[in-house]
Amino acid sequence: MVHHLTTRTGIYADSVSLMQVSQAVTTTDGVQAALVAMGTPVNLDLLPGMGFDVDGLDASPSDLVVAIRAVDDDAVAAGLDAVDAGLAATRGRGGGGGFGVAPAPRTTTDAIDDDTTLVLVSTPGEHAVQEARDAIAAGVDVMVFSDHVSIADEIALKDAAHDAGVLVMGPDAGTAIVGGVGLGFANVVAPGPVGIVAASGTGAQHLTCLLDDAGIGVSHVLGVGGRDLSAEVGGRATRDALALLDDDPATELVVVLSKPPDDDVAATIRAAAEAATTPVRTAFLGPGHDDLTTVAAGIAEHLGQAVTSPASWPADPPPPPRTGRLVGLFAGGTLATEAALVVVDLLSDPVTANVASAVTASLDGSVTADGHVVVDLGEDDFTVGRPHPMIDQSLRLERIAAEATAAAVLLLDVVLGHGAHPDPAAELAPALVAARDANPDLAVVVSLCGSVGDPQDRDAQAAALHDAGAAVFLSNAQAARVAAGLIEGLRP
């Protein structure tokens, strides 16, 4: 086994781009593990756990660290070729400097000119706050993709932005569409009259894909960060984003979307929605609230359009009910939350989960439990030392193999769009075939979050998963209901 650990100076790329580079290197023949990342303390702390000796490593947050563990020198060389190819693609997208091209500006202030209206910050959390402050001081909106920003800093940034008349999206804002341009993880959807304020990344992706499938476009998606509707943050950015969309002539209906919010904050947002001139619909996931498929149908009704069933590729013939465990393995936190809310309302036996929902037991730091389980593999417990599961499916592939013989039903989500894995079905379909070979009675249900315009080809992904034996549904709620319906002993 060969370990390669080096640093490169004068190169910067954002964390999303580097996660994609790391994934490309990891999938190179003979490479067992790889990390391509900026040399921040958080990233450097990952290296010992991956088997690298960091004694004597001299790396600063402005250096690029390349770590490859492979079977031999030839595999390391192939991995380094994949690093160079990935960085070249990143530079082509405007993601970094170096290698003979014009260097990227050293600060946010240097990068802003008279034409700048929005700054995307994707640096380590300890540096993101100052970059966001610089953008606010320059009078431009800012999207903070970075996580690991304290709640105190988040509140201070959002108060400063409000006073300056600009908007802070985030921190940990994974998805936005502004003026037709997708930022972070975003699907390719048509322009239209619906504006979305989202304290949920995959929730926004799912709703925009449901709307796109129904022929309904969006004006903007303003992601405000998953903590914005918490009691501490108080919906600061949500209120500002709602006001912006209320003033936008292209927006005919506003949707405010969130995983289960704080009750008092939710009441404040509802009051702001009632005071708006533009019609506003709240979509707060939680017991007693509509799922996102129902929300999409309500939007169609409001716009005077026919309500149609979302695309699906059901199993043929439908599998019969069976006795056993339902195991949900999700990449999207909101999709996992919605699925847990659906199945816990249908199954008579307890459901364990690591998402905020009406589950019977909490899944803390583990990837499985006895009985029915729904797990969001994108939680911080599972992403240390590896990219997000929407990019790197390795942990889920391991869990599919491990759960196959003990589960009656596997429930999965597959998220498409820019930033996500370029061909998730190419890895998942063989894993599902192997799982069903190991357990012929296993049923597989997939929630597919994607649009026909996505680079992965939504319908081709669905066909590949269907050919592997899965029932595939564009509606996450429908997928969860079908999966729960395959378990005998449903509540009467």
Side-chain angles (χ1 to χ4, degrees), residues 193 195 242 245-246 251-255 273 276-282 302:
L242 175 57
L245 292 179
D246 190 24
T251 300
E252 299 174 16
L253 174 68
V254 179
V255 180
T277 303
T278 307
V280 179
R281 171 161 188 160
T282 56
H302 175 87

Side-chain angles (χ1 to χ4, degrees), residues 15-25 93 185 387 391 418-420:
S15 57
V16 174
S17 297
L18 291 179
M19 283 191 290
Q20 293 172 325
V21 175
S22 294
Q23 171 64 8
V25 178
R93 296 190 299 266
F185 297 103
I391 299 172
H418 292 299

Side-chain angles (χ1 to χ4, degrees), residues 314-322 443 471 482 486:
D316 184 22
R322 70 280 321 282
V482 168
L486 293 173

Side-chain angles (χ1 to χ4, degrees), residues 10 91 96-104:
R91 292 196 305 277
F99 287 90
V101 300

